[in-house]
Amino acid sequence: MLTFNSLLFRSLATLSLLIALVAALYFARAVFLPITMGLLVALVLHLPMNALARAGLPKILAVVVLIAVVAAVLALIFALMFGPVETIFDTWPQIVSELRAKLSHLRLTFAAAEQAGDAVAQIADDVKDMVKDPEVQEVVVREPNFLARAATSFADVFTGIVVTLTISAFVLVMRRPFLTLATMPFSTTGTKLHAARIWKSVEGEVSHFFLVTSLINAGLGTIVGLALWALDVPMPYAWGIGVALLNYILFVGPAIGTAALFAASIITFDTPFQIFAPPLTYLAINFLEANFVTPHFLGRRLQVAPLTIVLSLLFWGWLWGFAGLVIAVPALVVLKAVSDKAAPLADLRRLLTPRRQPGRAMQPQLLQRVVGMETRSNS
């Protein structure tokens, strides 16, 4: 029997709530996307905000300084990338045609398959001509040209950045009301204080994680840019900036960077060594960063299981497109940090945490918890 207290009713209600939440995030992404980005930026700026406060700077002035620094960094990136991006926009048809010309020799390998495809296409055209009604006029819908779409996208991105920084500024200035809002689901004063302490600890850990990650990505972009400059790749500074930004998107970002660099090498160079050297160099540097540099500076802090990262990228990418790919990993890191501190989320923490390596020492807190459980069970 389906009652209000039955497990089936609670499961169906939870599933319905999740579907409604996902639908709201999808159809109202123009509202939720800048809010989410603003909250994440404010979370990352938590430690610099505390440092400026300890230095005696008033809160409002500290927020103005931080937002100005972030805006200046974004403006510098835009100024450095504007020239290369404008060149790509102006020469886009030539780039595509040249890339097709360079790749034309690869079609010889698939000559038989291509001939078969042409035959099938010819048959389809013949059938289309036979069944086509001569009285029906063909309507061709022309899409906006590439430059028009790019200009519209740039305007949307610029507006989103302004709104995001504005929301971040309000969150940093009015931190106490937002902290009160986060503790509203709890009923007693003790649980509210405990939740507030957990969130403050999460703020510090997440801010430290992303600040260190940003420094590592900046170093990665610098090294890749210098390596590409040594390999005579055009506009190496633009590639360095692009690599640093794409490295925030785990798995997908390096793949996009490698594919773009490989295409640019095909267009620019002629010999096999010159074509393959830039993308392979980038992959080698990225491999060293991901497997040695980042683990050394971050250790196992806020590490997340690779499968959950892939699932998060798929979900947020489907939900909000490229912006969702940018948000996917930070949202997962925040969720992991909260689950590490909140005891009721122990099951979620086990799902998000990578499997402990064989022979690796158990963490002291977890070891004490296990020993305490065994002691209570024996007594």
Side-chain angles (χ1 to χ4, degrees), residues 315-363:
F315 172 75
W316 288 104
W318 163 80
L319 190 67
W320 287 343
F322 186 80
L325 294 177
V326 177
I327 292 176
V329 176
L332 202 59
V333 169
V334 173
L335 186 61
K336 174 65 166 55
V338 173
S339 65
D340 285 342
K341 300 296 180 181
L345 300 178
D347 294 334
L348 179 61
R349 180 176 65 250
R350 284 191 289 270
L351 290 175
L352 297 177
T353 304
R355 173 183 289 184
R356 186 171 61 90
Q357 298 178 358
R360 184 180 177 87
M362 189 177 290
Q363 297 178 3

Coordinates of all heavy atoms in Angstrom, one line a residue, residues 315-363:
F315 N 27.0 15.2 -17.3 CA 25.7 15.8 -16.8 C 25.8 17.3 -17.0 O 24.8 17.8 -17.6 CB 25.5 15.4 -15.4 CG 24.4 16.2 -14.7 CD1 23.1 15.8 -15.0 CD2 24.5 17.2 -13.9 CE1 22.0 16.4 -14.5 CE2 23.5 17.9 -13.3 CZ 22.2 17.5 -13.6
W316 N 26.8 18.0 -16.5 CA 26.8 19.4 -16.6 C 27.0 19.9 -18.0 O 26.5 20.9 -18.4 CB 27.9 20.0 -15.7 CG 27.5 19.9 -14.2 CD1 28.0 19.0 -13.3 CD2 26.6 20.7 -13.5 NE1 27.5 19.1 -12.1 CE2 26.6 20.2 -12.2 CE3 25.8 21.7 -13.8 CZ2 25.8 20.8 -11.2 CZ3 25.0 22.3 -12.9 CH2 25.0 21.8 -11.6
G317 N 27.8 19.1 -18.8 CA 27.9 19.5 -20.2 C 26.6 19.4 -21.0 O 26.3 20.2 -21.8
W318 N 25.8 18.3 -20.7 CA 24.5 18.2 -21.3 C 23.6 19.4 -20.8 O 22.8 19.9 -21.6 CB 23.9 16.9 -21.0 CG 22.4 16.9 -21.2 CD1 21.8 16.7 -22.4 CD2 21.4 17.0 -20.2 NE1 20.4 16.7 -22.3 CE2 20.1 16.9 -20.9 CE3 21.4 17.2 -18.9 CZ2 18.9 17.0 -20.3 CZ3 20.1 17.3 -18.2 CH2 18.9 17.2 -18.9
L319 N 23.7 19.7 -19.5 CA 22.8 20.7 -18.9 C 23.1 22.1 -19.4 O 22.2 22.8 -19.8 CB 22.9 20.6 -17.4 CG 21.8 21.4 -16.6 CD1 20.5 20.7 -16.8 CD2 22.2 21.4 -15.1
W320 N 24.4 22.5 -19.4 CA 24.7 23.9 -19.7 C 25.8 24.1 -20.7 O 26.4 25.2 -20.8 CB 25.2 24.6 -18.4 CG 24.0 24.9 -17.4 CD1 22.7 24.9 -17.7 CD2 24.1 25.3 -16.1 NE1 21.9 25.2 -16.6 CE2 22.8 25.5 -15.6 CE3 25.2 25.4 -15.2 CZ2 22.5 25.8 -14.2 CZ3 24.9 25.8 -13.9 CH2 23.6 26.0 -13.4
G321 N 26.1 23.1 -21.5 CA 27.0 23.2 -22.6 C 28.5 23.4 -22.1 O 28.9 22.8 -21.1
F322 N 29.2 24.2 -22.8 CA 30.6 24.4 -22.4 C 30.8 25.1 -21.0 O 31.7 24.7 -20.3 CB 31.3 25.4 -23.5 CG 32.8 25.5 -23.3 CD1 33.6 24.5 -23.7 CD2 33.3 26.6 -22.6 CE1 35.0 24.7 -23.5 CE2 34.6 26.8 -22.4 CZ 35.5 25.8 -22.9
A323 N 29.8 26.0 -20.7 CA 29.9 26.5 -19.3 C 29.7 25.4 -18.3 O 30.3 25.5 -17.2 CB 28.8 27.6 -19.2
G324 N 28.8 24.4 -18.6 CA 28.7 23.3 -17.7 C 29.9 22.5 -17.5 O 30.2 22.0 -16.4
L325 N 30.7 22.3 -18.6 CA 32.0 21.7 -18.4 C 32.9 22.4 -17.5 O 33.7 21.8 -16.8 CB 32.6 21.5 -19.8 CG 31.9 20.6 -20.8 CD1 32.6 20.6 -22.2 CD2 31.8 19.2 -20.3
V326 N 32.9 23.7 -17.5 CA 33.7 24.5 -16.6 C 33.3 24.3 -15.2 O 34.1 24.3 -14.3 CB 33.7 26.0 -17.0 CG1 34.5 26.9 -16.1 CG2 34.2 26.2 -18.5
I327 N 32.0 24.2 -15.0 CA 31.4 24.2 -13.6 C 31.5 22.7 -13.0 O 31.6 22.6 -11.8 CB 30.0 24.6 -13.6 CG1 29.9 26.1 -13.9 CG2 29.3 24.3 -12.3 CD1 28.5 26.7 -14.0
A328 N 31.6 21.7 -13.9 CA 31.5 20.3 -13.5 C 32.4 20.0 -12.4 O 32.0 19.5 -11.3 CB 31.6 19.4 -14.7
V329 N 33.7 20.2 -12.6 CA 34.7 19.8 -11.6 C 34.7 20.6 -10.3 O 34.7 20.1 -9.2 CB 36.1 19.8 -12.3 CG1 37.2 19.5 -11.2 CG2 36.2 18.8 -13.4
P330 N 34.6 22.0 -10.4 CA 34.4 22.7 -9.2 C 33.2 22.3 -8.3 O 33.3 22.2 -7.1 CB 34.3 24.2 -9.7 CG 35.0 24.2 -11.0 CD 34.7 22.9 -11.6
A331 N 32.1 22.1 -9.0 CA 30.9 21.6 -8.2 C 31.1 20.3 -7.5 O 30.7 20.1 -6.4 CB 29.7 21.6 -9.2
L332 N 31.8 19.4 -8.2 CA 32.1 18.1 -7.6 C 33.1 18.2 -6.5 O 33.0 17.5 -5.5 CB 32.7 17.2 -8.7 CG 32.6 15.7 -8.5 CD1 31.2 15.3 -8.3 CD2 33.3 14.9 -9.6
V333 N 34.1 19.1 -6.6 CA 35.1 19.3 -5.5 C 34.4 19.9 -4.3 O 34.6 19.5 -3.1 CB 36.2 20.3 -6.0 CG1 37.1 20.7 -4.8 CG2 37.0 19.6 -7.0
V334 N 33.4 20.9 -4.5 CA 32.7 21.4 -3.4 C 31.9 20.3 -2.7 O 31.8 20.2 -1.4 CB 31.8 22.6 -3.8 CG1 30.9 23.0 -2.7 CG2 32.6 23.7 -4.3
L335 N 31.2 19.5 -3.5 CA 30.4 18.4 -2.9 C 31.3 17.4 -2.2 O 30.9 16.9 -1.1 CB 29.7 17.7 -4.0 CG 28.7 16.6 -3.6 CD1 27.6 17.2 -2.8 CD2 28.1 15.9 -4.9
K336 N 32.5 17.1 -2.7 CA 33.4 16.2 -2.0 C 33.9 16.8 -0.7 O 34.0 16.1 0.4 CB 34.6 16.0 -2.9 CG 35.7 15.2 -2.3 CD 35.3 13.7 -1.9 CE 36.5 12.8 -1.6 NZ 37.4 13.3 -0.6
A337 N 34.2 18.1 -0.7 CA 34.6 18.8 0.6 C 33.5 18.8 1.6 O 33.8 18.5 2.8 CB 35.1 20.2 0.3
V338 N 32.3 19.0 1.2 CA 31.2 19.0 2.2 C 31.0 17.6 2.7 O 30.7 17.4 3.9 CB 29.9 19.5 1.5 CG1 28.7 19.3 2.5 CG2 30.0 21.0 1.2
S339 N 31.0 16.6 1.9 CA 30.8 15.2 2.3 C 31.9 14.7 3.2 O 31.7 13.9 4.1 CB 30.7 14.3 1.1 OG 31.9 14.2 0.4
D340 N 33.1 15.3 3.0 CA 34.3 14.9 3.9 C 34.0 15.4 5.4 O 34.5 14.8 6.3 CB 35.6 15.5 3.4 CG 36.1 14.7 2.2 OD1 35.6 13.5 2.0 OD2 36.9 15.2 1.5
K341 N 33.3 16.5 5.5 CA 33.1 17.1 6.8 C 31.8 16.7 7.5 O 31.7 16.8 8.7 CB 33.2 18.6 6.7 CG 34.5 19.2 6.1 CD 35.6 18.9 7.0 CE 36.9 19.5 6.5 NZ 38.1 19.2 7.3
A342 N 30.8 16.3 6.7 CA 29.5 16.0 7.3 C 29.3 14.5 7.4 O 29.4 13.8 6.4 CB 28.4 16.6 6.3
A343 N 29.1 14.1 8.6 CA 29.0 12.6 8.9 C 27.8 12.0 8.2 O 27.9 10.9 7.7 CB 28.9 12.4 10.4
P344 N 26.6 12.7 8.1 CA 25.5 12.1 7.4 C 25.7 11.8 5.9 O 25.0 11.0 5.3 CB 24.3 13.1 7.6 CG 24.7 13.9 8.8 CD 26.2 14.0 8.7
L345 N 26.8 12.4 5.3 CA 27.1 12.2 3.9 C 28.2 11.2 3.7 O 28.9 11.2 2.7 CB 27.4 13.5 3.3 CG 26.4 14.6 3.3 CD1 26.9 15.8 2.6 CD2 25.1 14.1 2.6
A346 N 28.3 10.2 4.7 CA 29.4 9.3 4.6 C 29.3 8.4 3.3 O 30.3 8.1 2.7 CB 29.5 8.4 5.8
D347 N 28.1 8.0 3.0 CA 27.9 7.1 1.8 C 28.3 7.9 0.5 O 28.9 7.3 -0.4 CB 26.5 6.7 1.7 CG 26.1 5.7 2.8 OD1 27.0 5.1 3.4 OD2 24.9 5.7 3.2
L348 N 27.9 9.2 0.5 CA 28.3 10.0 -0.7 C 29.8 10.1 -0.7 O 30.4 10.1 -1.8 CB 27.6 11.3 -0.6 CG 27.9 12.3 -1.7 CD1 27.5 11.8 -3.1 CD2 27.3 13.7 -1.5
R349 N 30.5 10.3 0.4 CA 31.9 10.5 0.4 C 32.6 9.2 -0.1 O 33.6 9.3 -0.8 CB 32.4 10.7 1.9 CG 33.9 10.9 2.0 CD 34.3 11.3 3.4 NE 34.0 10.2 4.3 CZ 33.1 10.3 5.3 NH1 32.3 11.3 5.4 NH2 32.9 9.3 6.1
R350 N 32.1 8.0 0.2 CA 32.7 6.8 -0.3 C 32.5 6.7 -1.8 O 33.4 6.1 -2.5 CB 32.0 5.6 0.4 CG 32.5 5.4 1.8 CD 32.1 4.0 2.4 NE 30.7 4.0 2.6 CZ 30.1 4.3 3.8 NH1 30.9 4.7 4.8 NH2 28.8 4.3 4.0
L351 N 31.4 7.2 -2.3 CA 31.2 7.2 -3.8 C 32.2 8.1 -4.5 O 32.7 7.9 -5.6 CB 29.8 7.6 -4.1 CG 28.7 6.5 -3.8 CD1 27.3 7.1 -4.1 CD2 28.9 5.2 -4.5
L352 N 32.5 9.3 -3.9 CA 33.3 10.3 -4.5 C 34.8 10.1 -4.3 O 35.6 10.6 -5.1 CB 32.9 11.7 -4.0 CG 31.5 12.2 -4.3 CD1 31.2 13.5 -3.6 CD2 31.2 12.2 -5.7
T353 N 35.2 9.3 -3.3 CA 36.6 9.2 -2.9 C 37.2 8.1 -3.8 O 36.6 7.0 -4.0 CB 36.7 8.8 -1.5 OG1 36.1 9.8 -0.7 CG2 38.2 8.8 -1.1
P354 N 38.4 8.3 -4.3 CA 39.1 7.3 -5.1 C 39.4 6.1 -4.2 O 39.6 6.2 -3.0 CB 40.4 8.0 -5.6 CG 40.1 9.4 -5.5 CD 39.1 9.6 -4.3
R355 N 39.5 4.9 -4.8 CA 39.8 3.7 -4.0 C 41.2 3.9 -3.4 O 42.1 4.3 -4.1 CB 39.7 2.5 -4.9 CG 40.2 1.2 -4.2 CD 40.3 0.0 -5.2 NE 38.9 -0.4 -5.5 CZ 38.7 -1.5 -6.2 NH1 39.7 -2.2 -6.7 NH2 37.4 -1.9 -6.5
R356 N 41.3 3.5 -2.1 CA 42.6 3.5 -1.5 C 43.5 2.5 -2.1 O 43.2 1.4 -2.3 CB 42.4 3.2 0.0 CG 43.7 3.4 0.9 CD 43.3 3.3 2.3 NE 42.8 2.0 2.7 CZ 43.5 0.9 3.0 NH1 44.8 1.0 3.1 NH2 42.9 -0.2 3.3
Q357 N 44.7 3.0 -2.4 CA 45.7 2.1 -3.0 C 46.1 1.0 -2.1 O 46.2 1.2 -0.9 CB 46.9 3.0 -3.4 CG 46.6 4.1 -4.5 CD 47.8 4.9 -4.8 OE1 48.9 4.7 -4.3 NE2 47.7 5.8 -5.7
P358 N 46.4 -0.2 -2.6 CA 46.9 -1.3 -1.8 C 48.1 -1.0 -1.1 O 49.1 -0.4 -1.7 CB 47.0 -2.5 -2.8 CG 46.2 -2.1 -4.0 CD 46.2 -0.6 -4.0
G359 N 48.2 -1.3 0.2 CA 49.4 -1.0 1.0 C 49.5 0.4 1.5 O 50.4 0.8 2.2
R360 N 48.5 1.3 1.1 CA 48.6 2.7 1.6 C 48.1 2.8 3.0 O 47.1 2.1 3.4 CB 47.7 3.6 0.7 CG 47.8 5.1 1.0 CD 47.0 5.9 0.1 NE 47.0 7.3 0.5 CZ 47.9 8.2 0.1 NH1 48.9 7.8 -0.7 NH2 47.9 9.4 0.4
A361 N 48.7 3.5 3.8 CA 48.3 3.7 5.2 C 47.0 4.3 5.3 O 46.6 5.2 4.6 CB 49.4 4.5 6.0
M362 N 46.1 3.8 6.3 CA 44.8 4.4 6.5 C 45.0 5.8 7.1 O 45.8 6.0 7.9 CB 44.0 3.5 7.3 CG 42.5 3.8 7.4 SD 41.5 2.6 8.3 CE 41.6 1.3 7.2
Q363 N 44.1 6.7 6.8 CA 44.1 8.0 7.3 C 43.9 8.0 8.8 O 43.1 7.2 9.3 CB 43.1 8.9 6.7 CG 43.3 9.1 5.2 CD 42.2 9.9 4.5 OE1 41.3 10.4 5.2 NE2 42.3 10.1 3.2

